[in-house]
Amino acid sequence: SQQGEEDPQALSIQEGENATMNCSYKTSINNLQWYRQNSGRGLVHLILIRSNEREKHSGRLRVTLDTSKKSSSLLITASRAADTASYFCATNLPNAGGTSYGKLTFGQGTILTVHP
Amino acid sequence: ETGVTQTPRHLVMGMTNKKSLKCEQHLGHNAMYWYKQSAKKPLELMFVYNFKEQTENNSVPSRFSPECPNSSHLFLHLHTLQPEDSALYLCASSQDGRVGLKEQFFGPGTRLTVL
């Protein structure tokens, strides 16, 4: 099974509503990152949260991390039609020496549709 | 734009062809990555280069051959591919991956179709 798994697989909301996506993982991490991908395009980095952080904000985005539950959530407030995209969480795992070699493991993503 | 460019954006090739994908980053990063994104599958890491040296090969078949001549350029040479290799191939870069991970910056991808 996947290191990072997003839930739900698909989410459909109206403009102005909030959207919450969840990510669960299985092993200890250095950090967890959220990315957005518009259809058929490259990924865009949204937020990086380190294992010793519990919450981060960026504009309308709020990310939480609960290392005891091995889970993270991404909240998009006051959603817009332009937020329609796939959202991925990605985990960075420490290697045996405890350092990071830049390897990310991605989940399968949540497809968010925001209706005008 | 993210500062990472990829060419071509679309490629159709036969199983006996040889082609190359090119990636260039203008961010001064020292780590570069190739990913494969297939339908209904998570993004798969293929190769990682740090300071032009390959530091990760994620059990990729030899019909995919990466090349990193300098920290700004990354190539993926393709030969005798199979139809199941059809996918979106994404290039990414980040600051030196050996000292702790920063965010990765992705190019727009090359949509590859193998006939």
Side-chain angles (χ1 to χ4, degrees):
Chain A
S1 59
Q2 304 299 325
Q3 161 68 351
E5 294 189 9
E6 287 93 341
D7 170 61
Q9 291 187 344
L11 181 60
S12 182
I13 60 174
Q14 295 296 127
E15 223 171 16
E17 294 180 341
N18 294 344
T20 299
M21 289 158 271
N22 303 295
C23 172
S24 60
Y25 58 92
K26 298 186 184 305
T27 61
S28 296
I29 59 173
N30 279 334
N31 63 62
L32 185 146
Q33 303 182 30
W34 285 91
Y35 288 80
R36 183 187 76 201
Q37 183 180 33
N38 289 82
S39 181
R41 306 289 297 275
L43 279 70
V44 175
H45 179 264
L46 297 176
I47 287 185
L48 182 155
I49 187 164
R50 292 184 171 78
S51 59
N52 61 353
E53 298 176 310
R54 292 297 167 258
E55 188 171 312
K56 285 190 86 168
H57 296 255
S58 176
R60 293 183 295 111
L61 306 180
R62 172 178 168 250
V63 167
T64 61
L65 179 65
D66 187 334
T67 53
S68 66
K69 295 181 179 178
K70 292 187 171 60
S71 67
S72 174
S73 67
L74 169 67
L75 169 66
I76 303 175
T77 60
S79 63
R80 305 166 182 168
D83 295 328
T84 294
S86 294
Y87 291 81
F88 297 89
C89 70
T91 51
N92 170 237
L93 308 180
N95 68 6
T99 60
S100 165
Y101 280 77
K103 183 174 178 179
L104 286 180
T105 303
F106 285 81
Q108 289 195 285
T110 293
I111 300 172
L112 173 65
T113 304
V114 181
H115 300 281
Chain B
E1 297 303 321
T2 62
V4 180
T5 59
Q6 288 186 245
T7 55
R9 295 291 308 276
H10 300 272
L11 178 62
V12 179
M13 58 187 289
M15 289 191 285
T16 58
N17 291 158
K18 289 185 181 181
K19 297 287 185 184
S20 295
L21 310 184
K22 178 183 176 182
C23 175
E24 183 173 1
Q25 57 96 359
H26 311 273
L27 302 168
H29 291 164
N30 290 307
M32 296 188 77
Y33 312 79
W34 279 117
Y35 288 90
K36 175 184 178 183
Q37 188 176 35
S38 306
K40 312 243 183 247
K41 284 187 176 182
L43 207 62
E44 299 173 65
L45 178 67
M46 300 175 72
F47 301 103
V48 180
Y49 279 82
N50 279 284
F51 295 97
K52 303 188 298 179
E53 299 297 321
Q54 188 180 118
T55 53
E56 182 89 22
N57 178 336
N58 200 23
S59 303
V60 180
S62 60
R63 58 185 183 270
F64 295 90
S65 175
E67 178 190 1
C68 189
N70 55 60
S71 292
S72 298
H73 293 86
L74 186 63
F75 295 89
L76 189 61
H77 304 298
L78 317 170
H79 62 99
T80 59
L81 294 192
Q82 305 298 312
E84 59 265 29
D85 296 322
S86 298
L88 182 67
Y89 288 85
L90 293 164
C91 173
S93 72
S94 69
Q95 289 181 336
D96 180 5
R98 293 178 296 178
V99 296
L101 184 68
K102 305 286 187 181
E103 63 267 33
Q104 294 187 8
F105 293 78
F106 283 79
T110 295
R111 173 68 63 187
L112 174 66
T113 302
V114 181
L115 301 176

